[in-house]
Amino acid sequence: WPYSSKAQAPAEKMRSLRIFKAWAPEWPAHKRMDAWHNLVQYIQQNNMKVLVGTSIGCSADYDHQDWQWTKELIRMIGREHLMGLAIGNELEIFHRFRKELNVDDACLDRLWGGYAWKRFKKVAQEFDAMGFSDIPITSVFGGLALAGNSSTFYDIPEARVNSFLAKVSSAYKDRFVFCFNFYPYFDPHLEMDNYTEHQCKGALHESLCWE
């Protein structure tokens, strides 16, 4: 694990892993099973816990296929290595990256008009039917989700995060885990160490501190 070694001691082994997606349509189909077998072998050999993700987006067909692949990979990984299931990733930024994510008004209206919540419930229901009803579930959001004004979380017509999280946390109680992506390299307050042009020990210390 990067930066986990001290003095001459070896670095710590990776014990956790996040998989954003099991596979993608543009990746070579004939390599999928070999890639999965290699990944599962790595997970099992290192006794890792895995947070597996599946999509919620503008295309129901894409989401459906993504979930089919995810279910296959989950079965291969096995219960003992499954940390949780993430249904959707950073939905709050869709309206800010329309061109990059191929998002239009119709997509946003549909997404926050009920599709995100219905899709979450459907995936969770199928996940439970696979025998994983005790495994934590989440939907991952970024820092923007914390920018609520009158609400706890970000909530505007183009990104109804607070409304969505209120529903999922009410429905799934403690099983739903709040999960956020934080990117230190986007923090404008992190700078190089004083009087250096290539040292950032201070920034690393701050970014790696979880207290």
Side-chain angles (χ1 to χ4, degrees), residues 155-171:
D155 211 80
I156 62 174
E158 298 86 359
R160 298 191 181 278
V161 179
N162 195 76
S163 302
F164 175 80
L165 289 177
K167 290 177 181 178
V168 294
S169 59
S170 175

Side-chain angles (χ1 to χ4, degrees), residues 57-58 91-98 101-116 156-160:
C58 293
L91 299 178
E92 83 281 9
I93 68 170
F94 277 30
H95 73 291
R96 289 197 170 189
F97 295 90
R98 292 172 181 250
L101 299 175
N102 194 28
V103 172
D104 57 18
D105 289 340
C107 168
L108 294 173
D109 289 343
R110 178 170 171 270
L111 186 69
W112 299 109
Y115 176 72
I156 62 174
E158 298 86 359
R160 298 191 181 278

Side-chain angles (χ1 to χ4, degrees), residues 184 187-194 196 199-204 206:
D187 189 337
H189 300 99
L190 296 178
E191 299 178 347
M192 292 294 179
D193 296 339
N194 291 337
T196 73
Q199 295 293 320
C200 56
K201 294 180 180 179
L204 281 173
E206 183 175 341

Side-chain angles (χ1 to χ4, degrees), residues 115-209:
Y115 176 72
W117 171 227
K118 291 177 182 177
R119 184 64 192 167
F120 189 98
K121 289 191 296 182
K122 179 176 175 57
V123 170
Q125 183 179 31
E126 293 185 13
F127 188 57
D128 292 353
M130 293 170 65
F132 299 118
S133 59
D134 58 324
I135 300 294
I137 53 178
T138 187
S139 189
V140 182
F141 288 93
L144 180 60
L146 302 178
N149 292 322
S150 59
S151 59
T152 304
F153 299 103
Y154 196 55
D155 211 80
I156 62 174
E158 298 86 359
R160 298 191 181 278
V161 179
N162 195 76
S163 302
F164 175 80
L165 289 177
K167 290 177 181 178
V168 294
S169 59
S170 175
Y172 297 98
K173 310 299 182 185
D174 291 345
R175 186 188 176 198
F176 180 81
V177 179
F178 287 88
C179 188
F180 299 93
N181 290 327
F182 293 119
Y183 304 99
Y185 53 82
F186 287 147
D187 189 337
H189 300 99
L190 296 178
E191 299 178 347
M192 292 294 179
D193 296 339
N194 291 337
Y195 312 112
T196 73
E197 295 181 354
H198 53 76
Q199 295 293 320
C200 56
K201 294 180 180 179
L204 281 173
H205 176 75
E206 183 175 341
S207 298
L208 295 171
C209 179

